[in-house]
Amino acid sequence: MSALDAAHLTDWEIIGRLAVGLGLGAAIGLERELDGHDAGLRTHALLTMGSAMFGLLSVGAFSAFIGPAADSNVQVDVSRIASYLVAGVGFLAGGAIVKHHDRVRGLTTAASLWMSAAIGLAAGLGLFAGAVIATAGTLAVLLSERPVAWILRRPNEGAGTIRAVTIEPVDIAELLSMFDSPRGTKRAVSRTTQPDGRHAVIVSGVPIGQGPDMIRAFESQGATEVSWTEH
């Protein structure tokens, strides 16, 4: 009798639990990948399937090694692997969090990785309803970002154009990386060199709420002339 046979798991049940974990993780990872995050389909799918495998190990892999120390003294702690999985996935999720200037990015992806580990573990333990419901809830939260962002932007609807003139060239990519480009808006940048040698930068599609902060950012880069035009 093999270890997994002792846990009353057939080969098809093992395959099914791993497949469920893989599929649910892939669904979450696909959303993250379509949203442009590095931790995408492959990362989430491997994480959930790995977690499902650890769940299978918890309930069956050690059954063949169990022997009673005494007639009344038999103890099996199937939660040990699961508890270490919870701690271990924290390191993986922590790697997705990056501080950039005064902003922290990757918190949502880190949370989705942590949730994927829980979903995969549930699949490995055979709690399919919980795994599916948790996946649906996770996708609902992730997909709600777009409508919520649209609602929150409504008081600041509209955009404008910033024109800045500098003596030295400005690292425009670095400057604009400080500002998110909201979904549904299209930001465009053009550069020209004036006859006097100064550099002019025009950024259009700037949300009204970002206008003052972007103007200050250009001024901090040595811009001598900064103007704002609302569309």
Side-chain angles (χ1 to χ4, degrees), residues 127-151:
L127 302 176
F128 299 122
V132 172
I133 293 171
T135 301
T138 301
L139 288 172
V141 171
L142 293 175
L143 293 172
S144 69
E145 180 183 4
R146 293 173 177 80
V148 169
W150 180 80
I151 292 172

Side-chain angles (χ1 to χ4, degrees), residues 90-100 103-111 113:
F91 290 97
L92 178 63
I97 302 174
V98 178
K99 187 177 187 302
H100 186 73
R103 299 176 62 86
V104 177
R105 298 184 178 182
L107 288 172
T108 302
T109 299
L113 289 170

Side-chain angles (χ1 to χ4, degrees), residues 9-216:
L9 292 174
T10 67
D11 291 342
W12 285 112
E13 286 176 318
I14 297 169
I15 294 171
R17 294 186 184 191
L18 291 175
V20 169
L22 176 65
L24 295 179
I28 296 173
L30 180 61
E31 190 283 334
R32 292 284 81 193
E33 186 140 338
L34 292 175
D35 208 33
H37 297 276
D38 293 332
L41 189 150
R42 290 181 298 177
T43 302
H44 285 77
L46 289 174
L47 179 60
T48 50
M49 187 169 67
S51 299
M53 189 67 232
F54 280 122
L56 287 168
L57 291 173
S58 295
V59 299
F62 303 105
S63 300
F65 304 100
I66 295 174
D71 291 341
S72 61
N73 184 22
V74 177
Q75 182 176 354
V76 179
D77 184 1
V78 298
S79 66
R80 292 182 64 115
I81 291 180
S83 64
Y84 282 110
L85 173 64
V86 173
V89 76
F91 290 97
L92 178 63
I97 302 174
V98 178
K99 187 177 187 302
H100 186 73
H101 297 290
D102 59 342
R103 299 176 62 86
V104 177
R105 298 184 178 182
L107 288 172
T108 302
T109 299
S112 71
L113 289 170
W114 180 72
M115 195 66 206
S116 294
I119 291 168
L121 185 60
L125 295 175
L127 302 176
F128 299 122
V132 172
I133 293 171
T135 301
T138 301
L139 288 172
V141 171
L142 293 175
L143 293 172
S144 69
E145 180 183 4
R146 293 173 177 80
V148 169
W150 180 80
I151 292 172
L152 293 178
R153 281 203 313 273
R154 293 194 68 182
N156 295 318
E157 281 183 326
T161 298
I162 289 179
R163 184 179 186 275
V165 179
T166 62
I167 297 175
E168 297 294 332
V170 174
D171 188 346
I172 190 65
E174 177 69 16
L175 188 148
L176 293 181
S177 69
M178 301 168 56
F179 302 91
D180 292 330
S181 182
R183 293 180 178 85
T185 63
K186 185 176 181 180
R187 192 165 59 191
V189 179
S190 63
R191 307 165 185 256
T192 58
T193 301
Q194 300 186 149
D196 59 4
R198 294 189 302 168
H199 304 273
V201 179
I202 299 175
V203 183
S204 60
V206 179
I208 289 178
Q210 292 181 0
D213 291 334
M214 194 173 291
I215 290 173
R216 285 191 290 268

